[in-house]
Amino acid sequence: MTDSDTKAFFGAGVEENIDALYSVALRLTRKDADAEDLVAEAVTKAWSAIDSLDDRERFRPWLFRILHNTFISDYRKQSVRPQEASYNAGECDDDDLVTLLNEQSDDFLVWWSNPEREFFNDLLGEQLLDALDQLPEAFRTVVILVNVEGFTYDETAEVLGIAPGTVRSRMKRGRTLLQKALWQQRPAPERCNT
Amino acid sequence: MSHDIGCLRAIEAFYAYLDGELEDPAAIADFEHHLEHCRSCFSRIEFEKALNERMRRTAKHESPDALRKRVGKLMDKF
């Protein structure tokens, strides 16, 4: 393949994924300007490393892996919130969902087992984004890649350089933590004052 | 023939099922058989599906024009 073919392939691949790159970058950095910088930097690094892409069918996970690695090396330190700093995602690698649920409060479990039908009517987009942004990075990244961008567990493992089983565990805990955050954001039930 | 796997096993399979990661046809059949007979797990799966859909609509963003132009300029330099 000629250099111009390679450049055309790369350009088409970036164009196809630019919205997804930006969406993931935005959830990683939580800042518009940083997300744009991160995408631009990742695209530059990806082009420099294009010869390392052995299988062009794997372009998408390869590109997002470079985005994620660029985030870790250049942006992570400034985007970590204090409550996340001490969280060790590796501690949860053997989680099963029943065990996770058993760790939760009774009030949350009652809601989890029978959430209100009107829940989504009251849920604002910004509340959902806020709940996503509250997740520790290890879980936020997995939930965004799988649930928002449609990566498989194997592709997500490739992007993050972790085992597929770890993706599975992080999905369970990430989704549980997300729903807990949404549950905590719910408006308090109206009280009867009479 | 499918048999009822019970709520605990169904709960463990929730996300694999939703994310298309439950590959064994027999496991899928068992899971769906349970959903047909368990109102609670059925409601929960419907909730999870709705949450996924809401997340996709909310967290997918169009890249700003400025970023597209910036990347276009980078591509010109490559």
Side-chain angles (χ1 to χ4, degrees):
Chain A
M1 197 172 262
T2 65
D3 285 353
S4 64
D5 286 341
T6 301
K7 189 172 170 181
F9 165 81
F10 182 80
V14 168
E15 169 68 24
E16 198 176 312
N17 287 287
I18 190 84
D19 290 343
L21 286 168
Y22 176 70
S23 297
V24 172
L26 192 55
R27 293 275 72 78
L28 287 173
T29 62
R30 303 167 171 130
K31 291 179 187 164
D32 294 348
D34 285 351
E36 291 187 33
D37 289 347
L38 173 56
V39 171
E41 207 170 317
V43 168
T44 303
K45 284 186 181 176
W47 175 249
S48 302
I50 189 69
D51 290 339
S52 72
L53 176 64
D54 297 328
D55 178 0
R56 292 193 171 194
E57 295 293 314
R58 310 300 301 161
F59 178 78
R60 194 167 188 247
W62 174 84
L63 182 61
F64 279 81
R65 179 161 192 169
I66 291 173
L67 179 88
H68 186 251
N69 286 346
T70 305
F71 168 73
I72 290 172
S73 61
D74 299 352
Y75 293 84
R76 180 188 255 169
K77 204 175 281 180
Q78 64 202 54
S79 76
V80 171
R81 293 177 178 179
Q83 69 269 28
E84 288 179 41
S86 62
Y87 201 94
N88 180 2
E91 289 170 3
C92 72
D93 281 356
D94 294 325
D95 280 344
D96 63 66
L97 190 54
V98 173
T99 305
L100 281 175
L101 291 170
N102 282 336
E103 293 170 2
Q104 310 303 321
S105 69
D106 288 347
D107 286 349
F108 175 67
L109 287 180
V110 168
W111 175 84
W112 190 92
S113 59
N114 190 18
E116 310 94 328
R117 287 176 189 274
E118 59 274 14
F119 176 80
F120 289 104
N121 296 341
D122 298 332
L123 180 63
L124 300 174
E126 62 202 50
Q127 287 177 308
L128 183 50
L129 292 180
D130 191 48
L132 273 169
D133 287 349
Q134 281 181 42
L135 291 178
E137 178 205 310
F139 305 117
R140 189 168 71 245
T141 312
V142 167
V143 169
I144 290 291
L145 289 173
V146 173
N147 287 145
V148 178
E149 300 303 335
F151 281 86
T152 65
Y153 287 6
D154 281 348
E155 288 170 337
T156 303
E158 194 176 334
V159 170
L160 302 178
I162 57 179
T166 306
V167 173
R168 198 171 298 115
S169 295
R170 289 187 187 179
M171 277 300 296
K172 290 175 187 174
R173 187 172 281 266
R175 292 282 300 213
T176 304
L177 289 173
L178 175 70
Q179 292 182 46
K180 193 169 181 183
L182 292 172
W183 172 72
Q184 285 168 334
Q185 284 183 9
R186 285 157 54 246
E190 285 183 24
R191 291 190 180 133
C192 179
N193 294 319
T194 55
Chain B
M1 187 173 164
S2 296
H3 65 285
D4 193 2
I5 54 175
C7 290
L8 290 182
R9 279 185 58 198
I11 286 172
E12 281 308 326
F14 267 8
Y15 295 124
Y17 176 79
L18 281 167
D19 298 332
E21 299 284 336
L22 209 55
E23 290 172 353
D24 177 10
I28 295 172
D30 285 348
F31 185 84
E32 291 179 342
H33 180 266
H34 178 74
L35 290 188
E36 285 167 15
H37 295 85
C38 177
R39 184 188 300 271
S40 176
C41 287
F42 178 79
S43 299
R44 172 104 301 255
I45 279 288
E46 291 301 301
F47 178 87
E48 298 281 352
K49 283 181 182 171
L51 182 56
N52 275 355
E53 177 54 30
R54 192 66 178 270
M55 255 197 295
R56 271 192 288 273
R57 279 193 280 128
T58 306
K60 269 185 180 289
H61 302 275
E62 269 190 31
S63 52
D65 284 345
L67 176 62
R68 288 179 168 275
K69 284 180 188 161
R70 186 171 167 188
V71 170
K73 281 183 182 171
L74 285 173
M75 296 296 300
D76 290 341
K77 285 186 198 165
F78 293 158

